[in-house]
Amino acid sequence: MTDTLTTSIAPLSVREQFMAEPDLGAGNFLQYAMENNPHRDAPFVYTHSVDHRGAVVLRSLSLVELAAERDRYAKWYWSNGVREGEPVAVVVAEGLEPLLHYLALTALGAIPAMVNDAMRPDVMVRYLDHVGVVGVVADDTTRLAAAYRTNPQRRPRFLALTAEVRAFDATSASLPEVYPYRHAPDDVCALIHSSGTTGIPKSTMLAHRQFWDGKQPRMVRFPARPDDRLMSLMPHTHAGGLSYFLTATLLGLPTVVMGDWRRSVVEPVMEAFQPTMVASFPRTFVELATGDLPVAGAAKVHSWFNTGDSAHYGHIRRLVTLGE
């Protein structure tokens, strides 16, 4: 990494201030981080790709750059008629992309309905109809469009490709007069569903203040050494992924947001990023703890965080022998 001497971690005084902010919550955490962290221009959130030689390439965004991406996406949504209180389905592959849509929609006061893109189209249509979405943004709208053709009355106002939002020229586009939106404590900031691959999903509401309340102690108790780096292997359309991203953003904790949990993808990124913390569902930990251990990638890891299902003792025992 070329920026190992550059910190983006928010000072303790700023993190303590966040704990006393009455209006801070799941709908505006990026705005608070950007306005209060003196390291707002330092590299903060990372994505990864592979070049023509097969080497991992890491791309970083600062808090300021992340907010600019949020605003560009928000302009697309505003231009397409999305208004406060309206649910919009985000059917996007895991990684940073669904988080950008989350940030954009909440900045408008709209409600992102985060959807597992592996959900069967007919099941998804039933779920989105129940939620009452006004629009859908998806990586691929083909199967959804076909499902809606069987019952066109359920079709929302728009079905748009993620690529259209990414390519949007926001130069002359506008945002609402009051922006970002000012959330009330009980405003719904996201709809998260139960499993969309094993049955009919049920929706859970995440409220602005409620989703933040349980994370306040992490501002002073979560590891935040100047050299800390988080690898987030969470599904970021899931409450767990949103939770870690909210925490990392307010801490200014450098975080690589992964869109793939398989060891063949994860281990090379670990070696390039050198995380000190890894947060994941147990599926990745099972792979990392099976066979030869990822000694080089985990050389600096001091903390492994597991959520979702339970992790097995045998896997935990092997992983905690690694790093620090």
Side-chain angles (χ1 to χ4, degrees):
M1 301 294 299
T2 58
D3 57 346
T4 50
L5 299 180
T6 304
T7 185
S8 57
I9 300 283
L12 179 60
S13 59
V14 170
R15 289 181 270 137
E16 288 174 333
Q17 176 187 329
F18 288 154
M19 296 172 69
E21 289 286 354
D23 298 323
L24 174 58
N28 59 11
F29 63 90
L30 173 58
Q31 194 67 21
Y32 270 85
M34 184 185 65
E35 291 177 355
N36 293 280
N37 188 338
H39 311 302
R40 62 183 67 88
D41 293 310
F44 154 61
V45 65
Y46 292 78
T47 58
H48 71 91
S49 60
V50 178
D51 67 14
H52 66 284
R53 298 167 299 173
V56 172
V57 177
L58 294 168
R59 173 178 173 255
S60 67
L61 292 172
S62 66
L63 287 167
V64 171
E65 291 167 332
L66 185 63
E69 286 293 283
R70 171 202 65 184
D71 296 348
R72 189 167 63 82
Y73 280 41
K75 286 180 179 180
W76 184 92
Y77 279 111
W78 186 253
S79 299
N80 282 274
V82 174
R83 298 297 182 262
E84 65 180 81
E86 293 186 325
V88 176
V90 178
V91 190
V92 178
E94 295 298 347
L96 183 61
E97 190 68 24
L99 293 170
L100 289 171
H101 290 272
Y102 173 92
L103 293 169
L105 287 163
T106 51
L108 293 172
I111 304 169
M114 313 296 281
V115 179
N116 179 348
D117 64 343
M119 195 187 299
R120 216 172 65 205
D122 59 320
V123 174
M124 191 183 300
V125 165
R126 289 177 61 187
Y127 172 72
L128 298 182
D129 182 55
H130 174 71
V131 169
V133 298
V134 301
V136 179
V137 171
D139 290 337
D140 183 359
T141 58
T142 309
R143 293 189 307 157
L144 256 183
Y148 276 120
R149 272 197 292 276
T150 64
N151 192 342
Q153 277 133 357
R154 296 161 90 179
R155 186 183 173 107
R157 291 200 308 255
F158 63 83
L159 282 177
L161 288 168
T162 318
E164 178 185 334
V165 184
R166 282 200 300 264
F168 181 60
D169 182 1
T171 309
S172 58
S174 62
L175 286 168
E177 188 174 335
V178 177
Y179 180 88
Y181 179 78
R182 295 166 189 163
H183 291 81
D186 294 332
D187 281 348
V188 177
C189 287
L191 299 172
I192 305 292
H193 62 75
S194 60
S195 177
T197 55
T198 58
I200 302 301
K202 277 71 72 179
S203 186
T204 300
M205 295 183 289
L206 305 185
H208 174 65
R209 190 70 188 180
Q210 160 257 331
F211 194 61
W212 155 239
D213 274 342
K215 294 162 201 38
Q216 290 192 42
R218 294 184 183 179
M219 294 298 100
V220 292
R221 294 181 191 166
F222 202 74
R225 303 185 322 202
D227 62 339
D228 267 334
R229 290 173 174 270
L230 173 68
M231 170 175 269
S232 180
L233 288 154
M234 297 288 165
H236 295 95
T237 55
H238 184 277
L242 289 173
S243 177
Y244 273 95
F245 186 71
L246 181 156
T247 302
T249 301
L250 289 172
L251 290 173
L253 178 64
T255 300
V256 60
V257 176
M258 298 292 293
D260 195 319
W261 59 271
R262 294 169 300 166
R263 177 173 182 163
S264 59
V265 176
V266 170
E267 191 169 1
V269 179
M270 285 183 76
E271 292 184 15
F273 188 69
Q274 290 291 293
T276 62
M277 296 179 278
V278 181
S280 179
F281 277 11
R283 58 191 184 185
T284 305
F285 292 156
V286 171
E287 291 207 4
L288 292 176
T290 302
D292 294 335
L293 289 172
V295 176
K300 295 184 178 179
V301 174
H302 60 64
S303 300
W304 304 85
F305 299 98
N306 179 81
T307 190
D309 299 320
S310 297
H312 292 285
Y313 173 71
H315 300 135
I316 296 169
R317 185 175 58 187
R318 293 202 81 203
L319 290 175
V320 297
T321 64
L322 294 168
E324 300 176 5

